[in-house]
Amino acid sequence: MVLHPAAPFLAEHIPGADRSPRMPLPATASRSLLYVSTSLVPRRDADAIIAELVASSRRHNQRAQITGALMYSERHFVQIIEGPPIAIGSLLARLDIDPRHRDLCILYDADNHPRRFADWSLAYFGPDRLIAPYIEAALARGGAPEAAVLIDAIAAFAAAADGTAHDAG
């Protein structure tokens, strides 16, 4: 796991948006983290593998009071996770050893950050090549503007899919 050099800067410069939660959320501090990783999922098996990943993640996230969004571009995973700092730390440790991906790179990590995906235990919109350029730009340039655009793109997918995406949250 690599902490991207821009992560501390991003924590101070990306505002959150309040949303009414469908699931009860703790009043405790929330940690928000964005990472990108390289997928090791064979394309021919991706639908089944990711469907199981999403289902098990939603169950875990609801128990751990974690919210967020996952996107898959066939080459990369990008995920925003939000929740109690201890729960996020535990999840990050599991993600770091997950055999379905490698090269986990943290682009953004902030404490006491408002949840942007409070309505979702895990929002997932299916494989999407439209997100790939945002991922590539964030990894290549590593700056706050690229990561902010990536976060905003994921939030736009969630807003567009609100009520129709794949989360029973």
Side-chain angles (χ1 to χ4, degrees), residues 16-36:
D18 293 326
R19 294 185 69 184
S20 300
R22 280 188 247 159
M23 59 186 220
L25 301 175
T28 58
S30 181
R31 180 178 178 191
S32 180
L33 186 138
L34 169 72
Y35 75 85
V36 173

Side-chain angles (χ1 to χ4, degrees), residues 14-77:
I14 299 176
D18 293 326
R19 294 185 69 184
S20 300
R22 280 188 247 159
M23 59 186 220
L25 301 175
T28 58
S30 181
R31 180 178 178 191
S32 180
L33 186 138
L34 169 72
Y35 75 85
V36 173
S37 63
T38 303
S39 173
L40 297 177
V41 173
R43 288 185 185 176
R44 69 183 176 283
D45 302 328
D47 288 344
I49 290 170
I50 294 173
E52 175 51 35
L53 166 74
V54 169
S56 65
S57 295
R58 286 182 177 150
R59 289 188 299 272
H60 171 267
N61 289 357
Q62 285 181 338
R63 286 191 303 272
Q65 297 180 319
I66 293 173
T67 58
L70 172 71
M71 295 194 78
Y72 170 69
S73 70
E74 293 183 353
R75 184 170 175 203
H76 291 102
F77 288 102

